[in-house]
Structures are given as C-alpha cells and as structure tokens.
Amino acid sequence: MTRRLYGIPLSGHVHRVRLFLSILKLDYDFVEASMQSPEILRLNPLGQIPVFEDGDVLLTDSNAILVYLAKTYAPDSHWLPEDPLGAAHVQKWFSIAAGELRYGPAMARGATRRNCPEEVAPAQAKAAKLLPFMESELTKRPFLAANQPTLADLSCYAYTARAPEGGISLQPYPNIRKWLDTVEALPGFVSMPHAPAGNI
C-alpha cells in the first residue's frame, strides 16, 4: 500500500498531517504541490491542501485526515477520545483551528509574508481574542482538550507556533508557550519550517 501526502511544507494544514504521520511512525511519500497546481485540482477540485492517499483511499481536509489516521492506525487511543464529552472537546478545537486560528494567526502570517498590510490588522484583532482564550483554557489542563495530547493539539499547533511570523507576540502567554514546548517534546515531533518573506 502506498501512502502519499500532497501539499507544501509551509502550510500548517499540511504540517498537522505530517506531524501525526511521524508520531504514528507511518511511512509515506511527500509530493510537493500547491493549491492551484493541476495535480491538486485533479485530486481535489476545491483546490485545497493537503490531499492524502492511502492505497485506494483519497481524503481531503487536514482534520478529516487526522481522524482517519487515528481511527485506522491508533484506534482506542488518547488521540481521538471515544467518550461523548472527550470527542466534543476535540471537535471544538477542530472548529477553532478552521475558524479563529485560520482567520487570526494564520491569516496574519500569510498577509505579512505576502506584504498585504490591509489584511494584517483584522487578522491580528482576531488573534487578540483567540490567544487569551487559549491561555485561559491551558490553565485548566496541560493540553487543549484533555490531560493528554489529542488531535486538537496537532490541529492547533503549527499556526499558533508561527504566530510571531504574523507580528503576533506569544510573550504574554506563558501557558501557550509551555504547551508548545510540550507538543514539541512528543516522540516523533517534526517542526514546520519558518516562512521566508513572500513564500506562504
């Protein structure tokens, strides 16, 4: 069976899948392809990355891929709780990753690197609401959704860690910085590259 992950290394959406594949010690081929490349548009007409192939399985959407990997290769593990409340907590952070995080720190990072200042301030404003909430949540437990790492942490890690690339300081948030360190200490952790200007 051949596993392939399509995307670009600088995408936080791609990174969360690469990170989980590494944690699970799964071999795969990485195919570098941007959102509007013919290869991606053939596999995903929505033009979104990542795209993941696992034999005959073709999946899009990074969080959906995380769920598939957990259910397939780490069933009944802490990564995706089976109990209703635990599963709900993970889903909440999936929604935050696709909403406030995507349109806050992630958008500020992209706009900064593309030199689009008119987009930076609104994204930073969203981040200014999100990060204090994350900071508060992390006073209750060491990880976002539970007392052990879950897919919620992998989903939210990259764009939070790279928030300073969008002009957003993490210095006011000691709990977030401790959480980032804890995620980075997980066995199998792989980092996302820092983005040079103009390369998001």
Side-chain angles (χ1 to χ4, degrees), residues 34-106:
S34 65
M35 289 189 290
Q36 296 304 314
S37 67
E39 196 160 23
I40 291 297
L41 292 173
R42 175 179 60 82
L43 296 168
N44 181 6
L46 294 177
Q48 297 170 347
I49 54 175
V51 174
F52 182 66
E53 291 180 325
D54 191 5
D56 294 332
V57 173
L58 176 67
L59 287 171
T60 61
D61 183 83
S62 57
N63 290 335
I65 297 167
L66 293 181
V67 169
Y68 168 81
L69 290 172
K71 289 287 192 179
T72 304
Y73 297 105
D76 303 316
S77 71
H78 59 85
W79 292 109
L80 187 60
E82 294 292 338
D83 66 286
L85 189 57
H89 286 321
V90 170
Q91 181 58 56
K92 178 184 79 172
W93 287 102
F94 277 173
S95 296
I96 289 171
E100 290 87 351
L101 186 62
R102 168 67 182 87
Y103 293 102

Side-chain angles (χ1 to χ4, degrees), residues 134-142 170-182:
M134 291 180 71
E135 179 74 7
S136 175
E137 289 291 292
L138 288 165
T139 65
K140 304 171 187 177
R141 64 191 76 85
L170 296 178
Q171 286 305 308
Y173 308 109
N175 292 321
I176 290 177
R177 289 185 280 111
K178 182 179 180 181
W179 166 71
L180 293 173
D181 289 342
T182 304

